[in-house]
Amino acid sequence: MSGLRETVAQLSRAQKPSAGTPAYSRFVNRRIGRVFAAAAFLGKRTPNQVSLASGFCSLVGIVLLACVRPSLGLALVVTLLLVLGYGLDSADGQLARLRGGGSPLGEWLDHMIDAVKIVLLHSAVLISFYRFDAFDNDLALLIPLAYVCVSSVLFFGLILIDQLRRRHGAGGTPNERGDSVVKSLLIAPTDYGVLCLVFLAFGTPSLFVVLYGALLALNLLFLAAAVGKWYREMAVLEVRA
């Protein structure tokens, strides 16, 4: 246990900057990931193995969503699997830093798993709504369908803007404002971890659809604001070029 505690402490000192990180990832998931990363390091696991374990946990939870009738038991199991998968998703990068740095393959694998996960998760909700007749009004099926679109566009947009900033040397450095706790709380609805926790209500479809729909609306607002910001940022870079 002393070795585990020492490794967790080492990871804590080597943590990535918190600027722009939503609250759940910043205060909860990174800490969970630290423990997983330390255990994996002591167990001589590789970051790619941790990434695959993350994807497996998420995939099992997603398959259960699509195949099993909604209930309290299902909600608890699915939430546990999704939270576990997300914790391992944080652990792979921390383990890579602990081992001296990541690799292009590891970064590619991590992003590919994330891209597949966000599409399959909302697709599984859509399948569940349809298979088990959760609602009399078929318009409820549009919520997970819209969430697929919003999540995919947001994920691609974040990856693309990061690559363009790096290419044009516009990464910048975190400032006090960007690192604020208030900002982390304001953007918390965009955090995948918050979405995972909403599945605790999956056993009660009427409650789940309200929470799920509210998150969709907040993510849509965030995406609209982000697109405007990214457009202005890229326009400035084009002028400088």
Side-chain angles (χ1 to χ4, degrees):
M1 288 300 293
S2 61
L4 181 64
R5 285 195 296 267
E6 291 171 1
T7 308
V8 169
Q10 183 179 348
L11 281 166
S12 181
R13 291 190 294 269
Q15 192 60 261
K16 290 193 302 184
S18 299
T21 305
Y24 180 89
S25 289
R26 178 175 180 176
F27 300 113
V28 180
N29 202 56
R30 283 186 175 179
R31 296 182 181 183
I32 295 173
R34 257 178 244 153
V35 176
F36 288 157
F41 180 77
L42 296 174
K44 303 187 184 303
R45 302 294 96 186
T46 68
N48 289 349
Q49 288 173 330
V50 175
S51 294
L52 291 172
S54 168
F56 176 78
C57 290
S58 299
L59 181 60
V60 172
I62 290 168
V63 169
L64 289 175
L65 275 178
C67 297
V68 180
R69 182 175 294 276
S71 66
L72 176 59
L74 175 68
L76 293 174
V77 171
V78 165
T79 302
L80 177 62
L81 286 167
L82 294 179
V83 168
L84 178 59
Y86 193 39
L88 290 167
D89 185 34
S90 174
D92 58 6
Q94 297 190 58
L95 177 59
R97 286 192 295 277
L98 190 61
R99 288 163 54 97
S103 66
L105 174 60
E107 186 175 2
W108 173 83
L109 181 63
D110 185 46
H111 288 323
M112 285 298 295
I113 291 173
D114 286 343
V116 172
K117 177 176 65 181
I118 60 174
V119 172
L120 289 185
L121 178 61
H122 300 298
S123 299
V125 174
L126 175 63
I127 292 170
S128 179
F129 282 2
Y130 179 78
R131 286 191 67 208
F132 301 111
D133 296 323
F135 304 98
D136 294 331
N137 191 339
D138 289 342
L139 290 177
L141 300 177
L142 295 177
I143 298 175
L145 183 60
Y147 223 143
V148 170
C149 299
V150 171
S151 295
S152 298
V153 172
L154 183 56
F155 178 80
F156 176 76
L158 289 168
I159 296 296
L160 179 60
I161 198 71
D162 181 59
Q163 294 298 319
L164 289 173
R165 283 168 178 162
R166 292 181 187 179
R167 178 181 299 178
H168 294 279
T173 56
N175 54 38
E176 184 178 344
R177 182 179 176 186
D179 194 33
S180 72
V181 174
V182 174
K183 182 177 180 181
S184 290
L185 293 172
L186 287 175
I187 61 177
T190 66
D191 198 323
Y192 179 78
V194 173
L195 176 62
C196 293
L197 295 179
V198 166
F199 281 90
L200 285 170
F202 197 71
T204 309
S206 57
L207 174 60
F208 173 78
V209 78
V210 170
L211 298 175
Y212 186 65
L215 271 189
L216 168 62
L218 292 170
N219 275 267
L220 184 57
L221 289 174
F222 178 85
L223 176 60
V227 167
K229 178 179 179 295
W230 295 337
Y231 181 88
R232 293 190 296 273
E233 186 178 344
M234 292 300 103
V236 170
L237 289 179
E238 182 179 358
V239 172
R240 289 177 180 173

